[in-house]
């Protein structure tokens, strides 16, 4: 990250905890069949730091960054390294009324900057380098809305970890040494029914969210009955709260009456985000789903692994096929020798 006092700080290509920015592009692609396509992808993403420097050097203070996520389906085509132990495709979550769908996606490029022209230019150069090796599945441009609010009018991301807790919550450690320093990434795209949402009173909205709208102050958790979004999305196991890092962005087009939130969550343990979605869509207790879903429809869902910068940079020198072994189950993952791993 650059500062006004030092303009020669290196721009990092793979930075999960990049600072909040005013603009972001979320690009999801599928990789074409064939070894040529895999070779092109491997060469491009292993050298993405050069692309970032080419674009970002025009304004270091704009904090341009790009995090690359790799999906389970394409992982064996890009590296001989074993699949991260928790990685698997996004699992559909079907609740009593709402469903979190699983949608296609081999690679995620999370491009962030304080200038939209920089995110645009990096995406343009990136897709130019990838060429016919990929097909774009989804391209969404997000923006910061007032004081970090979503389009429902509430502050988003308040529960994010801070300080030393960021790395502890987001980066894989000794439980998977071959992928240490990486992070699991879950993305979802939500479309809001703002007419129905705005028909509610402010007090009704606050009850659903679990916070005051004006000042973001937490409301008390419900002891029985319907829980708020804040409560259902908080994961506590054996008295320990397990955080994820969100960098959600509003997006939309008033002319097309399209309004939404792009959810992106980075986590050390994939099960934490999955448990959050189960609580939201299925409910706790089952049937008592998150009422925010009555106004926000999930239309996209993918899971990726963002490897460390060193891992990513070495892909060009690692063209061999991956080990035939698949990912471990969640139970196997949590049963590793790392006694500090939590039990969901």
């Amino acid at each position: 990250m650059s500062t006004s006092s030092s303009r020669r700080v290196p721009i990092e290509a793979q930075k999960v905890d990049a600072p909040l920015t005013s603009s972001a592009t979320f690009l999801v692609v599928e990789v074409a069949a064939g070894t040529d396509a895999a070779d092109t992808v491997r060469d491009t993403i292993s050298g993405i730091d050069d692309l970032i420097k080419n674009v970002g050097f025009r304004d270091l203070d704009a904090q341009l960054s790009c995090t690359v996520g790799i999906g389970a389906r394409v992982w064996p085509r890009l590296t001989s390294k074993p699949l991260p132990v928790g990685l698997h495709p996004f699992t559909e979550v079907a609740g009593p009324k709402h469903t979190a769908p699983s949608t296609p996606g081999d690679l995620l490029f999370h491009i962030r900057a304080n200038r939209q022209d920089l995110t645009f230019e990096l995406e343009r150069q990136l897709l130019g380098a990838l060429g016919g090796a990929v097909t774009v599945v989804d391209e969404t441009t997000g923006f910061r809305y007032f004081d970090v609010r979503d389009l429902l009018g509430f502050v988003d991301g308040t529960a994010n970890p801070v300080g030393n807790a960021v790395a502890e919550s987001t980066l894989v450690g000794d439980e998977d040494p071959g992928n240490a320093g990486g992070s699991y990434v879950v993305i979802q795209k939500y479309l809001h029914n703002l007419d129905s949402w705005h028909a509610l009173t402010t007090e009704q909205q606050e009850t659903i969210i679990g916070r005051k709208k004006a000042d973001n102050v937490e409301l008390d958790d419900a002891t029985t009955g319907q829980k708020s979004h804040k409560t259902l999305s908080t994961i506590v196991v054996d008295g320990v709260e397990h955080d994820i890092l969100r960098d959600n962005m509003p997006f939309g087009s008033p002319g097309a009456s399209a309004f939404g939130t792009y959810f992106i969550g980075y986590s050390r343990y994939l099960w934490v985000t999955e448990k959050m979605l189960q609580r939201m869509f299925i409910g706790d207790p089952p049937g008592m789903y998150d009422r925010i879903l009555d106004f926000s429809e999930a239309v996209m869902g993918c899971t990726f692994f963002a490897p460390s910068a060193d891992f990513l940079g070495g892909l060009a020198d690692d063209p061999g096929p991956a080990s035939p072994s698949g990912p471990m189950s969640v139970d196997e993952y949590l049963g590793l020798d790392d006694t500090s791993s939590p039990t969901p």
Side-chain angles (χ1 to χ4, degrees):
M1 172 171 50
S2 63
T3 65
S4 57
S5 60
S6 175
R7 300 180 59 84
R8 302 185 65 84
V9 179
I11 301 169
E12 295 190 39
Q14 195 73 352
K15 191 170 178 59
V16 167
D17 61 343
L20 295 175
T21 54
S22 59
S23 181
T25 295
F26 305 91
L27 180 66
V28 176
V29 303
E30 285 192 301
V31 179
T35 56
D36 288 347
D39 290 344
T40 297
V41 167
R42 188 184 301 110
D43 289 344
T44 300
I45 64 177
S46 66
I48 197 169
D49 55 337
D50 291 330
L51 289 177
I52 293 172
K53 291 174 184 176
N54 288 343
V55 178
F57 196 74
R58 306 174 195 197
D59 184 355
L60 295 181
D61 292 328
Q63 299 177 323
L64 178 68
S65 68
C66 178
T67 302
V68 180
I70 303 173
R73 187 181 78 104
V74 79
W75 183 279
R77 296 178 57 197
L78 301 182
T79 177
S80 62
K81 302 296 193 299
L83 204 66
V85 295
L87 183 62
H88 57 80
F90 186 95
T91 303
E92 178 183 287
V93 184
K97 187 175 180 181
H98 303 287
T99 297
S102 176
T103 54
D106 288 330
L107 299 173
L108 166 72
F109 298 97
H110 182 194
I111 306 171
R112 290 173 273 188
N114 284 320
R115 289 176 50 173
Q116 189 174 346
D117 58 343
L118 295 186
T119 62
F120 169 88
E121 180 62 16
L122 179 58
E123 182 188 9
R124 187 189 71 80
Q125 293 191 21
L126 175 62
L127 287 176
L130 291 168
V134 302
T135 300
V136 175
V137 174
D138 184 77
E139 174 195 41
T140 300
T141 297
F143 55 89
R144 286 291 165 213
Y145 189 54
F146 297 128
D147 50 337
V148 199
R149 293 179 184 264
D150 57 31
L151 296 185
L152 301 180
F154 286 78
V155 174
D156 197 4
T158 304
N160 276 345
V162 297
N164 294 334
V166 175
E168 179 65 27
S169 300
T170 60
L171 301 183
V172 170
D174 292 341
E175 69 276 5
D176 186 6
N179 291 292
S183 183
Y184 293 95
V185 192
V186 174
I187 59 103
Q188 287 183 294
K189 193 172 182 178
Y190 288 89
L191 295 178
H192 304 315
N193 185 335
L194 291 188
D195 288 340
S196 296
W197 179 254
H198 291 153
L200 301 178
T201 66
T202 297
E203 289 74 19
Q204 288 172 323
Q205 294 177 358
E206 291 173 341
T207 298
I208 291 171
I209 299 297
R211 292 182 179 274
K212 289 288 187 179
K213 193 171 187 177
D215 57 15
N216 198 38
V217 172
E218 285 191 33
L219 300 177
D220 291 338
D221 294 334
T223 55
T224 59
Q226 180 65 53
K227 296 182 175 68
S228 68
H229 172 71
K230 177 206 68 175
T231 301
L232 289 171
S233 61
T234 300
I235 305 304
V236 179
V237 177
D238 295 332
V240 178
E241 183 172 334
H242 299 282
D243 293 325
I244 67 172
L245 181 68
R246 302 166 177 85
D247 200 357
N248 303 346
M249 277 280 196
F251 67 90
S253 170
S257 297
F259 310 96
T261 295
Y262 203 104
F263 165 82
I264 181 165
Y266 291 94
S267 60
R268 177 176 180 176
Y269 301 106
L270 181 58
W271 70 260
V272 176
T273 309
E274 291 179 327
K275 187 174 182 66
M276 180 187 74
L277 295 179
Q278 290 166 1
R279 284 167 56 86
M280 289 176 58
F281 282 83
I282 296 174
D284 182 25
M288 289 287 191
Y289 62 87
D290 192 336
R291 283 213 58 223
I292 199 175
L293 300 176
D294 289 337
F295 309 92
S296 302
E297 178 188 7
V299 296
M300 185 177 179
C302 300
T303 299
F304 304 94
F305 186 79
S308 68
D310 288 342
F311 186 109
L312 197 69
L315 280 180
D317 300 320
D318 179 25
S323 166
S325 61
M328 293 184 180
S329 68
V330 173
D331 288 343
E332 290 174 316
Y333 179 33
L334 298 175
L336 294 174
D337 292 337
D338 179 13
T339 57
S340 64
S341 296
T343 302

